[in-house]
């Protein structure tokens, strides 16, 4: 019998360019998304939205971002242009985790953002539980207001991450992790 935490001990990201089909769809995708939004939410604000990018729409979104990137950075090297052009070509499912911040709430903005971060992390864990690979990416588009406009985001919304989900096309070795002793201390009065 494996240790109850072994699932979490095996969690790692699969680079988005190493994700292909199939990806979750239909009821499986709906269950993944419904499960992902079961997060801590101080004040029951629901400070998150999800935008699903699939198929031709996902490719069109990637193309529009690539055009925007080139317009903003016309002297960008060809290698970076190619990376921007193909960023959304690989994983069959991309979920944009969106922060929907209520500035008038007594719940601090950081707590609202952390709730959205939990949604993105749940997408990673849920994808792994279903046998898929996933990677949470931000990149310049997560911080650009014109890119937010492409997604139709309101002024109080921004991208926390693009979670790419699909079937790993290669075995990805785990990366080095910090030693617990390097990041833990016990407080004493």
């Amino acid at each position: 019998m494996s240790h109850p935490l072994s699932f979490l001990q095996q969690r790692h990201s699969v680079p988005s360019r190493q994700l292909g089909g199939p990806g979750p769809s239909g009821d499986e995708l709906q269950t993944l998304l419904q499960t992902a939004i079961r997060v801590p939410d101080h004040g029951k604000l629901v400070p998150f939205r999800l935008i699903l990018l699939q198929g031709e729409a996902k490719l069109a979104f990637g193309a529009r971002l690539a055009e925007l990137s080139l317009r903003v950075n016309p002297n960008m090297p060809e290698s970076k242009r190619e990376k921007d052009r193909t960023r959304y070509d690989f994983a069959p499912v991309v979920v944009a985790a969106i922060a929907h911040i209520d500035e008038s709430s007594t719940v601090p903005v950081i707590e609202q953002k952390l709730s959205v971060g939990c949604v993105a992390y749940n997408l990673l864990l849920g994808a792994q539980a279903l046998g898929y690979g996933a990677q949470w990416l931000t990149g310049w588009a997560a911080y650009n207001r014109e890119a937010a406009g492409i997604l139709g985001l309101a002024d109080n919304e921004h991208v926390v991450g693009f979670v790419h989900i699909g079937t790993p096309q290669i075995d990805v070795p785990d990366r080095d992790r910090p030693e617990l002793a390097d990041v833990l201390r016990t407080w004493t009065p």
Side-chain angles (χ1 to χ4, degrees):
M1 181 176 184
S2 66
H3 190 280
L5 295 179
S6 64
F7 175 78
L8 292 176
Q9 292 167 336
Q10 296 171 31
R11 199 221 67 79
H12 69 278
S13 294
V14 177
S16 64
R17 292 174 178 275
Q18 303 302 327
L19 294 169
S25 63
D27 289 344
E28 184 179 51
L29 178 58
Q30 290 303 306
T31 299
L32 172 61
L33 298 173
Q34 186 65 49
T35 303
I37 63 173
R38 292 183 58 91
V39 296
D41 178 6
H42 185 184
K44 300 179 186 171
L45 297 177
V46 190
F48 48 82
R49 304 285 179 265
L50 300 176
I51 298 176
L52 185 60
L53 302 165
Q54 293 179 285
E56 292 300 318
K58 173 182 63 98
L59 298 176
F61 174 70
R64 290 187 62 187
L65 285 184
E67 290 169 10
L68 174 59
S69 176
L70 188 56
R71 189 165 32 89
V72 171
N73 302 304
N75 298 321
M76 168 187 335
E78 181 55 37
S79 61
K80 181 134 174 49
R81 288 181 192 193
E82 181 64 16
K83 185 175 183 182
D84 271 357
R85 268 195 301 272
T86 61
R87 187 176 309 272
Y88 293 88
D89 290 3
F90 303 95
V93 175
V94 178
V95 181
I98 308 300
H100 179 81
I101 302 302
D102 182 350
E103 295 277 353
S104 67
S105 173
T106 58
V107 176
V109 169
I110 186 67
E111 290 188 27
Q112 296 179 56
K113 289 182 180 180
L114 288 170
S115 186
V116 185
C118 288
V119 171
Y121 190 59
N122 274 355
L123 286 167
L124 295 177
L125 292 176
Q128 178 182 321
L130 293 171
Y132 298 106
Q135 186 176 31
W136 172 353
L137 297 172
T138 51
W140 67 269
Y143 306 103
N144 182 284
R145 286 315 299 171
E146 285 186 70
I150 293 171
L151 288 169
L153 302 187
D155 289 342
N156 68 325
E157 296 179 321
H158 65 272
V159 175
V160 168
F162 297 98
V163 181
H164 298 243
I165 305 169
T167 298
Q169 302 300 297
I170 63 168
D171 286 331
V172 178
D174 199 12
R175 66 174 176 80
D176 291 338
R177 304 290 174 166
E179 292 295 327
L180 182 59
D182 293 339
V183 297
L184 174 70
R185 76 178 181 110
T186 301
W187 184 84
T188 56

